[in-house]
Amino acid sequence: MANETITRLCPFCEACCGLVVEFNPASRQVVSIKGDKDNPFSQGFLCPKSQGLRLLDEDPDRLRQPLVRRGRDFVETDLDSAIDEAVTAIRAIREKHGNDALGLYIGNPVAHNLGLVIYGGIFALTLPSRNMGTAGSIDHIAKVVSSTELFGSEALIPVPDIDRTDFLLVIGANPMVSNGSLVTAPGWPRRLEALKARGGRLVVIDPRRSETAEVADRHIAIQPGSDVFLLLALVHVLYAESLIAIGELSDIVDGVDELQSLVAPFSPEAVAGRTGVDAGAIRRLARDMAAAKSAVAYGRIGTSAQKFGTLTSWLIDVVNILTGNLDREGGAMFPLPVTPALIYNQTYVDGIAPNNRWRTRVKGLPEVSGFSPVATLPDEILTPGEGQIRAMLTLCGNPVRSSPNSARYAEALASLEFMASIDLYINETTRFANVILPPSGHLEQVHYPPFSPPYMVRSYAKWDGAAFPAESAGDGEILLQLNARILGIEPAALEEQALQGMIAQTLVADGELAARLSVAECFDAVAVHQGPARFIDLLIRTGPFGDRFGARPDGLTLSKLQEMPHGIDLGPMVPRLRNAIVTPERKIRLVPSLMKQGMEPLQEELERKVVPSTLLLVGRRHLRSNNSWMHNVSALAKGPDRSFLEIHPDDARDRQIADGAAVRISSRKGAIHVTARITDSVKPGVITLPHGHDHRDKGTHMSVAARMPGANFNALTDEDEWDSLSGIAVLNGIPVEAAPLLAGDRLSPGERGERGRGEAEAIDH
């Protein structure tokens, strides 16, 4: 049979790059994956991770059949039997101990999987528990909270209009490698090149001279964890030098005078010692941003996953507001998505924000959008009492590598009465499961990016059909079956109930549509599609570009979108905040009470001294790696070691560390051994390591990853360090000690961070 081609959006990060996949339908083999030059959004750009569409399917370690534990071993079984075993155990635990006895961990890949997002939402609604957590609480939850406090909705997160700005300030992000996050703009390298070609400027604030800093006009090396003080000083200068120019939004901004008094103590001179940034450089930055024709500040995980992540996220938007760069071309804007946010989409209800409504049982951390911080889930497992987690379901995640204090996470999972996982691999987390349910491959499933539309710098949409007939159930179908059987109903009935509920909610909020159509009529109209496609059709048709079920004949429907192999580009972002804001006052709360509360300890923090021998550890990312789950793809894992420690020459000299030497890094939580690379690309006092490495644990079955060099970053991080306003874990600015590894040095039991109480029970495959 001749080869065929199909266009797809890459599902491995937020960039949504368009791909052309050549395949043989008879052999089910992928021949090639190339960038789609006709895709109007990505225009042919792609990165090495795109090859995972083929390479993940070819990986011999990838699970093909469901596994169930029998003693110390896993054995293969069929899907129905595996789900039945999970349902029996989960039902028994919930009936005996209540809803909160079931914990749920939602991994990062879920956000890019349509079925898991749709059916995961149904699961959370029909099997509610206070012990549900997402990878967002170690990534971006601080930005969700700050945006809600400012604008009234989790879904109103401003993104940088990088294609039209004259001045881009990037803080704690490396989009040259990551391709951006909380902003969907495929091809950042070419977009930054275009920025400079039109005379724009790029400034990067980062403790490391990252790949993005290398192409910047200016790099400002900052002390990790001190971004909040630099931003406060920027705001201080804007007030002190009369540079405030809010512009067209000034009539809906509350708190301008109050903010001036709050930032008064944080002059550039006052924060220079803490940030490591000269006062003159801070003043210059504030003046440059205020003077630019258009400008935008953009921050990501480096500004979020830290002790003051929510305050930092808030202040980034404050700078954009005060310089008149919010909701305007070239500034920070609010995309008009073809489909609305499906994750983190709650708003104020009766004056109450969708965060901090309740606190976790053990440590009193705040919930956000109904989710608990994942860093505290081990506390909820290991601490007896009402509400204790006794069973866990993990969805496409590896918290034993991605969350703080790996050793304690492993100990907690090993102590569970039952655990089930939907995953491709037996990894550091799933090795503790009783049931593992592997899904079909990406190319056997339809695809639509459920997370990215609200962050796209252009209103863009594309639907991907499956390349191959499915030989097994997809992720979402597995979760739907599990959910329905726990509830004791048919999966089709549960899905239809959920769709009818979504339609009913839509009609309640849309009087014009409700006057014309009933729930049944809307249901019949979208029922021409199957599975999650029905939900997307509803959202497209009732969205800003939709056909509104015939009222706008030229409008978009899923059927029309399916006929567009390269998707549809409906234009750049437009100002829209004035109509979109949903705070109770329908105004921007420049100084939310939650932020004032968070500022109370800042003066003491500003004066805190760092122990001279202490180094501050921050993470870094590589283009070929996405967390830990692609580490078993040989083509992406091969090449030179990318897991080394970066250390400044002065710090290496003071500690007698030679380039290429083995080094022991220790924190109050654990220790690891790594190889040092001496470089002036990091600020003195700072060291960097990538996340997600070290796959040598007993019981895992990832042969390529196990041979990779590297150490486990999260053996060093502390589950007791978090941002008090959002509960996000502190993953940047970790205090550590570094010393040469001496002959005969060995890590003590537990120091590598993966050995927990259940290590003896893990199975060596």
Side-chain angles (χ1 to χ4, degrees), residues 122-134:
I122 298 172
F123 189 98
L125 287 172
T126 58
L127 296 169
S129 168
R130 285 196 171 187
N131 289 316
M132 299 185 297
T134 79

Side-chain angles (χ1 to χ4, degrees), residues 575-650:
R576 71 181 195 94
L577 178 61
R578 190 176 292 274
N579 294 324
I581 193 166
V582 286
T583 54
E585 309 86 354
R586 296 192 65 82
K587 290 188 174 184
I588 298 171
R589 290 177 165 177
L590 197 61
V591 187
S593 57
L594 187 66
M595 303 308 160
K596 286 195 290 185
Q597 172 190 326
M599 287 187 66
E600 292 173 1
L602 284 186
Q603 194 63 49
E604 180 181 345
E605 179 70 19
L606 182 61
E607 298 167 0
R608 183 174 60 85
K609 304 298 182 183
V610 177
V611 178
S613 64
T614 299
L615 297 169
L616 297 178
L617 172 66
V618 299
R620 71 173 189 270
R621 186 166 175 175
H622 193 275
L623 191 62
R624 289 174 171 265
S625 177
N626 189 356
N627 303 319
S628 67
W629 69 289
M630 283 194 176
H631 285 177
N632 210 61
V633 175
S634 57
L636 297 178
K638 69 181 181 181
D641 176 19
R642 297 180 288 270
S643 63
F644 51 81
L645 169 78
E646 289 184 335
I647 185 168
H648 190 273
D650 294 347

Side-chain angles (χ1 to χ4, degrees), residues 101-122:
L102 174 61
L104 177 67
Y105 178 88
I106 303 172
N108 177 276
V110 172
H112 312 292
N113 184 295
L114 177 61
L116 282 176
V117 167
I118 295 293
Y119 299 124
I122 298 172

